C-alpha cells in the first residue's frame, strides 16, 4: 500500500499550484484595518460537524474553551523599507527592504534596482545617517548588506530605522497607513519581521483579558516573518516549491504551558500560519513541543499530518499561496476552496487587513 497521502481522491504529490486559485474581485482586498480590531468578520469552520458559521471576531470567545492554550507570534514589524541613493550619485535612487538580520549589522535585503547592487556597491540613506555596502549575493537575487552608522549617537540600527524607515506594507495595499501601530499586533514585542503576522491583528487587549479570565492560557512564540512566508509559488507542482528559511524561537515557559495544557485535554490553538509553522517545526512526532531557537523552511501543504496544532485562526490569503496551501492542509482543499468562494459571495474582506477564519 502506498504511503502517499490521498487528498480528495488525489495523491498530494499530484496537486498543482493552480488547484489553489480562486477569483477575487479587487474591491474585496482590504486597504485599511477596521476601526476597532475585533469587529472584523469571522468565518467559523467546524471540522467535526462540517458546518460554516458567519460571525464577528469578538465572538471567538464562544469558541475557545477553558483549558485551551492560544499560541501567539510576538514578533514585531520593523520599518524595514529604506529609500536612498548610490554613494556619490544622488540621482541614482535605490530602495531596500530589510528581510533578515544575519549578523549584528549585516542584513539580507531585497534591493531595487538589483542590477547595480554588485559586491562593493555603497549606498546612503537618511542624508548620511545610515550607509550600506553590498558584501555578498544570496539566493533569489537578494544581497547581504553591511550597515554603518554613528554608534555614539545610535545604540543599534533599529533606532535609525524608526527615524527614516517606512513600514513594509504589502504591494496590494495601495492606501497610506495613517497609524503604523495598526500594522502591529497589540502583543508585538521582539523586533525583526518584514511583515506582520496578520491573524493576530484582530485581537484587542480587552479580548485577550477576557480569554484569560475564561481560563485560556496564552503562550507567546516568535517567528520573524520574511519572504519565506509570502514568496509566490512559481512551480507548477507544489512539491517543487522551496521555502526560504525564517528564524523562530519557542521559549521554555511557552513549551511547558502548551504541553501541559494539551496533556490535560486542552486544545492548542495557533494564531496565524506563522505560529502554526513554528509549533510544527519545534514538535516531535508525539506532538511534544520543545523549547528551541532555530531556522525553519517547513512547507505545509495537503497531505501533511499535523503534530501539535488542534485549531487555527487565520486570515484569507492570496490565491496560489503557501499560506492557502497550509490552511487547506489543516482541513481539506476542496472544503477550504469552497469556503473561500463563499467568502467572496458574502463579501468578506481579504488579506492583511481583512477578515478572519477559525478552523476547529
Amino acid at each position: 500500500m502506498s504511503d502517499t497521502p490521498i487528498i480528495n481522491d488525489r495523491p498530494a504529490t499530484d496537486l498543482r499550484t493552480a488547484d489553489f486559485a480562486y477569483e477575487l474581485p479587487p474591491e474585496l482586498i482590504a486597504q485599511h484595518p477596521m476601526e476597532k480590531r475585533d469587529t472584523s468578520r469571522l468565518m467559523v469552520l467546524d471540522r467535526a460537524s462540517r458546518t460554516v458559521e458567519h460571525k464577528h471576531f469578538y465572538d471567538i470567545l464562544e469558541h475557545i474553551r477553558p483549558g485551551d492554550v492560544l499560541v501567539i507570534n510576538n514578533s514585531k514589524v520593523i520599518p524595514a523599507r529604506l529609500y536612498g541613493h548610490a554613494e556619490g550619485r544622488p540621482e541614482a535612487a535605490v530602495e531596500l527592504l530589510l528581510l533578515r538580520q544575519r549578523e549584528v549589522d549585516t542584513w539580507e535585503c531585497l534591493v531595487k534596482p538589483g542590477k547595480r547592487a554588485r559586491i562593493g556597491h555603497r549606498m546612503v540613506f537618511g542624508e548620511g545617517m545610515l550607509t550600506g555596502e553590498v558584501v555578498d549575493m544570496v539566493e533569489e537575487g537578494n544581497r547581504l548588506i553591511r550597515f554603518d552608522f554613528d554608534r555614539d549617537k545610535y545604540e543599534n540600527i533599529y533606532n535609525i530605522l524608526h527615524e527614516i524607515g517606512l513600514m513594509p506594507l504589502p504591494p496590494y495595499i495601495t492606501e497610506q497607513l495613517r497609524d503604523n501601530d495598526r500594522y502591529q499586533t497589540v502583543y508585538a514585542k521582539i523586533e525583526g519581521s518584514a511583515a506582520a503576522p496578520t491573524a493576530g491583528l484582530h485581537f484587542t487587549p480587552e479580548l485577550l483579558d477576557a480569554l484569560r479570565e475564561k481560563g485560556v492560557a496564552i503562550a507567546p512564540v516568535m517567528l520573524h516573518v520574511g519572504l519565506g512566508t509570502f514568496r509566490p509559488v512559481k512551480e507548477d507542482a507544489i512539491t517543487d516549491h522551496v521555502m526560504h528559511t525564517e528564524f523562530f524561537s519557542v521559549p521554555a515557559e511557552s513549551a511547558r504551558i502548551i504541553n501541559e495544557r494539551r496533556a490535560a485535554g486542552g486544545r492548542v490553538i495557533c494564531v496565524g500560519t506563522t505560529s502554526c509553522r513554528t509549533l510544527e517545526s519545534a514538535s516531535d512526532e508525539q506532538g511534544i513541543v520543545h523549547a528551541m531557537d532555530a531556522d525553519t523552511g517547513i512547507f505545509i501543504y495537503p497531505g501533511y499530518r499535523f503534530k501539535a496544532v488542534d485549531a487555527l485562526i487565520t486570515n484569507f490569503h492570496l490565491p496560489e499561496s503557501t499560506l492557502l496551501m497550509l490552511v487547506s492542509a489543516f482541513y481539506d482543499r476542496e472544503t477550504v476552496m469552497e469556503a473561500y468562494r463563499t467568502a467572496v459571495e458574502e463579501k468578506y474582506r481579504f488579506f492583511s487587513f481583512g477578515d478572519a477564519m477559525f478552523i476547529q
Side-chain angles (χ1 to χ4, degrees):
M1 183 175 179
S2 171
D3 290 331
T4 301
I6 302 298
I7 309 301
N8 303 130
D9 300 321
R10 294 172 58 191
T13 52
D14 283 351
L15 287 175
R16 323 307 286 181
T17 300
D19 291 325
F20 300 89
Y22 65 91
E23 295 294 326
L24 180 67
E27 62 270 20
L28 296 185
I29 300 174
Q31 294 297 312
H32 53 82
M34 297 291 287
E35 185 173 343
K36 195 170 187 301
R37 291 173 184 260
D38 62 359
T39 56
S40 297
R41 295 172 73 186
L42 177 70
M43 180 184 287
V44 180
L45 303 184
D46 191 298
R47 292 178 295 177
S49 63
R50 299 194 70 83
T51 56
V52 179
E53 295 181 89
H54 302 285
K55 299 191 173 185
H56 288 91
F57 195 81
Y58 49 73
D59 295 319
I60 199 83
L61 270 171
E62 301 173 10
H63 298 278
I64 301 181
R65 309 164 190 157
D68 289 344
V69 55
L70 196 69
V71 182
I72 60 175
N73 180 6
N74 65 3
S75 181
K76 190 172 186 177
V77 185
I78 59 174
R81 194 176 299 280
L82 291 170
Y83 292 92
H85 59 81
E87 187 177 60
R89 297 177 58 202
E91 75 284 359
V94 64
E95 177 186 344
L96 287 191
L97 178 62
L98 279 65
L99 299 175
R100 180 175 177 179
Q101 189 174 24
R102 295 291 190 177
E103 297 177 13
V104 175
D105 291 318
T106 301
W107 288 70
E108 181 180 346
C109 300
L110 184 65
V111 185
K112 294 182 182 179
K115 60 183 179 181
R116 72 167 62 128
R118 301 181 179 91
I119 294 176
H121 178 78
R122 293 181 57 82
M123 54 204 80
V124 179
F125 306 94
E127 298 182 345
M129 186 183 299
L130 181 69
T131 60
E133 179 181 350
V134 180
V135 296
D136 203 356
M137 315 276 281
V138 290
E139 59 184 349
E140 294 295 315
N142 295 340
R143 308 294 196 272
L144 285 186
I145 296 180
R146 184 170 56 238
F147 292 99
D148 196 20
F149 52 89
D150 186 346
R151 287 167 174 76
D152 292 330
K153 186 175 181 181
Y154 296 100
E155 181 180 352
N156 54 50
I157 193 173
Y158 295 109
N159 301 135
I160 298 176
L161 291 177
H162 284 291
E163 287 195 29
I164 65 175
L166 298 175
M167 293 298 277
L169 294 178
Y172 49 76
I173 296 177
T174 58
E175 295 184 11
Q176 188 68 33
L177 184 62
R178 292 186 292 270
D179 179 3
N180 283 349
D181 284 343
R182 293 308 306 275
Y183 195 56
Q184 304 278 15
T185 63
V186 296
Y187 46 74
K189 182 178 180 181
I190 305 172
E191 291 190 307
S193 276
T198 54
L201 295 178
H202 304 282
F203 284 95
T204 64
E206 295 79 13
L207 183 55
L208 291 168
D209 286 343
L211 286 166
R212 292 186 185 96
E213 290 172 9
K214 189 174 180 178
V216 176
I218 297 176
V221 297
M222 188 279 294
L223 181 142
H224 283 326
V225 186
L227 281 189
T229 297
F230 299 102
R231 180 186 173 210
V233 180
K234 299 178 181 178
E235 295 78 9
D236 179 40
I238 64 172
T239 51
D240 292 336
H241 178 73
V242 178
M243 296 281 285
H244 280 277
T245 60
E246 295 164 308
F247 179 74
F248 74 90
S249 177
V250 178
E253 178 65 7
S254 292
R256 182 190 66 78
I257 292 170
I258 293 166
N259 293 329
E260 286 183 356
R261 287 282 173 134
R262 197 170 198 216
R267 297 176 301 170
V268 177
I269 302 172
C270 278
V271 179
T273 57
T274 58
S275 297
C276 176
R277 292 175 65 235
T278 297
L279 285 203
E280 291 299 310
S281 299
S283 61
D284 59 28
E285 292 303 317
Q286 287 69 47
I288 303 299
V289 176
H290 298 272
M292 64 176 67
D293 297 337
D295 291 335
T296 182
I298 190 172
F299 178 22
I300 297 175
Y301 53 83
Y304 179 85
R305 290 178 172 85
F306 287 83
K307 300 173 291 186
V309 182
D310 301 307
L312 178 67
I313 299 170
T314 187
N315 277 20
F316 290 91
H317 303 294
L318 276 73
E320 301 184 344
S321 64
T322 61
L323 306 179
L324 179 51
M325 293 171 189
L326 183 153
V327 174
S328 297
F330 197 72
Y331 198 160
D332 67 63
R333 186 189 66 86
E334 289 192 354
T335 303
V336 169
M337 297 309 295
E338 180 59 33
Y340 269 60
R341 287 188 285 271
T342 299
V344 170
E345 292 170 2
E346 296 291 330
K347 299 191 184 309
Y348 274 68
R349 301 164 77 242
F350 279 68
F351 305 164
S352 295
F353 288 141
D355 296 316
M357 173 184 286
F358 180 45
I359 306 176
Q360 62 177 348

